[in-house]
Every structure is written in C-alpha cells, then in structure tokens.
Amino acid sequence: MADSGDSGGNEDSELLGATGGEDVVDDQIVEQGALVLRGYVLRRLSTENPDVRVSRVDLGGRPDEGDDPQIKVVVEQLLRIADDLNRNTELQHLISTVQANCAQDVFMTVARTIFTDGINWGRIVALFHLAYQLIYNALTQNHLEIIKNIISWVLQYIRQHVSAWIRQQGGWEGVIRSVSRWRTVTVIAAVAFIAAAVYWKRSR
C-alpha cells in the first residue's frame, strides 16, 4: 500500500479506487484513501446503524475493492482511533446538527479548521468522522445524490493538503506503526473537530 511507485499487473484496477468525483486524480495515496474511506464508512454503518443499507458501489467504489487485507488493517486502526471521538458527547451533539446537503465551500472550510494546527492521524480520522456523519445523514434524509460528492470532497482535500504528509509516513500503513500515539492525537483531533463543528453550526 505504500507509495512505492510499483507498476504491477493490478495497477489499472487500483486506479479505479478513487471513483467518487471529478476532482480526483490518479494519485496512489488518494486512490488508497478512497478505499480506506469507503471501508471506514461501511464498517461504521454496519456497527452503529446496521439497518442502513449501503454498498461500496453506492459510495462510488467497486464491489470487490474491500478484499485487500492491508486496507482492512488500516481501517481497523482508524476505527480504533475513532473510539474516543464516539465517546465525546459534546462532539456527537454538535455533529448531529450538520446538514447532509451542505455546500462544498462549507465542507472545505470545516476541513481546513480541523487541520489548522497541523496534520496527524487523529485529525485525518476527524475528517473521516465528518464524512461518515454527512453520509449517514444523507442516507437517512434521502439526499442520496450528495453521497459521492462528499467522498469526492474528502479525496480532493486529501490530495491537495494531506497526501504529501501521508506519503512521508510511508503511506496509509503509517497509522498502524503509530499505534502507541493514537490516543494522544485523537484528543487533539477531538478539540479541533469541536471547534470546526461550532463554526459550522454558527455559519448555517
């Protein structure tokens, strides 16, 4: 999964991983980020809201893209980091006010707020947490047309602002190697996310 530059026989199929919006380019970190994001959303939905039905195709992906065991390990680690976000009642209350049919500029403003003080895995999880909440709201409020837009906005932000940092960590597997630090960075991310959610609530 690391950004090794290999051009193996399955490269063409991997390029399809970033499906979800026209702003996405064929960058390996972004492509893998699309797989990780969709895996994260699906796992969260299956655990927290099993009655909500959605597939990888609904999220702009392919039916077989979740078979990569390394992707599954990364998703599991991100979900572990997200546990602290789930237990933050103030955060949960704030994100419940977010509208599913938001505008792209509002989404990008909140995303920039999350990363105001720098990048770490906790803040990346906060971005995924935001995307998950918006997608869940879209599914339950019948705004299905915006789901792929949300995926696209996340990937666009990763491509423009986060992908270089992820590459410096050795790719998405870097989150696995940072397991000893994840609780610390999550606390920081939670604070940043609350600030972003407050901004969002006041700007609506």
Side-chain angles (χ1 to χ4, degrees):
M1 269 181 56
D3 187 28
S4 61
D6 288 345
S7 57
N10 62 349
E11 183 182 19
D12 291 338
S13 64
E14 289 180 358
L15 294 179
L16 297 175
T19 301
E22 301 198 357
D23 291 322
V24 175
V25 297
D26 291 340
D27 178 283
Q28 190 175 4
I29 295 294
V30 177
E31 294 153 15
Q32 292 167 350
L35 303 179
V36 172
L37 174 59
R38 284 193 283 267
Y40 178 91
V41 170
L42 290 170
R43 281 295 311 279
R44 288 285 303 272
L45 283 172
S46 66
T47 301
E48 299 176 12
N49 301 281
D51 293 335
V52 177
R53 302 296 179 183
V54 65
S55 69
R56 295 181 186 279
V57 175
D58 295 328
L59 300 179
R62 295 172 286 117
D64 62 342
E65 71 179 21
D67 296 336
D68 186 334
Q70 194 74 348
I71 293 288
K72 292 180 180 178
V73 173
V74 171
V75 170
E76 288 295 328
Q77 180 64 16
L78 295 179
L79 288 168
R80 197 175 305 170
I81 294 173
D83 284 345
D84 279 0
L85 294 178
N86 294 337
R87 288 191 291 267
N88 189 307
T89 56
E90 182 179 3
L91 172 62
Q92 294 305 317
H93 172 71
L94 287 170
I95 63 176
S96 69
T97 67
V98 175
Q99 299 297 312
N101 57 342
C102 65
Q104 181 178 2
D105 60 337
V106 175
F107 178 91
M108 290 298 180
T109 297
V110 175
R112 285 193 294 271
T113 303
I114 292 173
F115 293 95
T116 296
D117 296 325
I119 303 171
N120 58 44
W121 290 113
R123 295 174 193 271
I124 291 171
V125 170
L127 180 66
F128 279 24
H129 196 69
L130 169 63
Y132 162 77
Q133 185 63 51
L134 289 178
I135 290 170
Y136 173 73
N137 290 348
L139 289 167
T140 55
Q141 298 172 17
N142 201 30
H143 291 298
L144 304 183
E145 73 284 350
I146 200 174
I147 291 176
K148 291 182 181 178
N149 288 344
I150 296 167
I151 297 286
S152 176
W153 297 341
V154 175
L155 299 180
Q156 179 181 335
Y157 191 87
I158 289 173
R159 171 170 58 86
Q160 294 177 345
H161 304 287
V162 184
S163 63
W165 182 88
I166 294 175
R167 189 173 290 108
Q168 289 172 358
Q169 314 310 306
W172 287 93
E173 304 101 315
V175 70
I176 303 170
R177 295 188 289 271
S178 68
V179 62
S180 63
R181 304 192 304 274
W182 69 266
R183 288 191 180 276
T184 300
V185 299
T186 301
V187 171
I188 297 171
V191 172
F193 195 92
I194 289 171
V198 168
Y199 171 85
W200 189 311
K201 187 176 181 180
R202 290 174 178 171
S203 65
R204 294 298 298 171

